Amino acid sequence: MLIYPEIDPVIFQLGPLKVHWYGVMYLIGFGLAWWLALRRSKQPDAIFTEEQVSDIIFYSALGVVLGGRLGYVLFYDLSTYMATPSLIFQVWQGGMSFHGGFIGVAIAMWLYARKLNVRFFEMTDFIAPLVPLGLFTGRIGNFINGELWGRPTDLPWGMIFPHVDNIPRHPSQLYQAALEGLVLFIIVWVFSKRPRPTMAVTGLFLIGYGTFRFLVEFVRQPDRQLGFIAFDWMTMGQLLSLPLLIIGVILMGLAYLRR
């Protein structure tokens, strides 16, 4: 049994300005994505310049933050935010949705791809390998915030979150950091190192994320304000991830059939 390490979510404070670990984790994620994108832009078959890479990361960051926050508000706790709209802007308290961020990034990349006159899936194939490390840092931010804990367990690595109760629980934030972050990064990065048909890299990312997220939700505590969405076992995370998994399979199939 493990005990959750109480970590102050605020790194330091200068007067009214507070620097939170949660925000720093996002900055680290964007920094890693930018570094990886620059590496990809130097490959012989790269279609984006270093200047365009910087724009891609900038617009993606906007999509992540705006889409992620709005997605959480709409998918997970609309009534609370409608009652107190000012809470929408308190992003340092947590409350970001991957699926909302995914939609936000997709819209941003569609608009930027039109500007550059490149195909949408050429853009998404380029950025797909960059995403998992950002997911990794984001889940570490969730862990530091002490949110999104797991269901009770008697496994040796069960963790007691004192601010929740004294019951050992799955450290599901760390499961997601490992699977959606590190494992998915290795899979998609290695796959993208060789030339692949358009849509294949995007499809593999969606399959991997959808699968890992769907599975981890079985040990993650359902959101208190939502509970189970269907069948007394399906969570909102599973409901939103299932379409990504299906779309990923379709894209992968189309990519190789068209080739």
Side-chain angles (χ1 to χ4, degrees), residues 23 54 83 113 122 129 148 185:
S54 297
E122 289 179 327
L148 307 183
F185 168 71

Side-chain angles (χ1 to χ4, degrees), residues 22-145:
Y22 191 75
V24 170
M25 289 297 103
Y26 270 79
L27 289 176
I28 292 174
F30 293 136
L32 290 172
W34 182 58
W35 174 66
L36 291 173
L38 288 176
R39 288 192 59 183
R40 285 175 64 77
S41 71
K42 292 179 171 63
Q43 294 178 353
D45 58 344
I47 61 174
F48 299 108
T49 66
E50 291 189 16
E51 181 180 355
Q52 290 168 342
V53 161
S54 297
D55 289 339
I56 289 171
I57 298 302
F58 174 74
Y59 292 123
S60 295
L62 288 179
V64 167
V65 175
L66 296 178
R69 189 58 169 175
L70 291 176
Y72 184 83
V73 170
L74 294 174
F75 298 146
Y76 289 94
D77 207 1
L78 181 59
S79 59
T80 296
Y81 289 100
M82 289 292 289
T84 314
S86 61
L87 293 176
I88 296 175
F89 304 100
Q90 297 180 22
V91 294
W92 56 88
Q93 299 292 344
M96 296 285 284
S97 164
F98 166 81
H99 301 90
F102 172 80
I103 294 171
V105 171
I107 293 173
M109 292 301 95
W110 177 71
L111 293 172
Y112 193 56
R114 289 189 61 185
K115 179 180 178 180
L116 297 182
N117 197 28
V118 301
R119 290 182 293 175
F120 172 70
F121 285 110
E122 289 179 327
M123 178 73 75
T124 59
D125 282 351
F126 179 81
I127 67 170
L130 318 178
V131 177
L133 290 185
L135 295 176
F136 171 79
T137 60
R139 294 307 178 193
I140 297 300
N142 293 144
F143 182 75
I144 293 173
N145 264 8

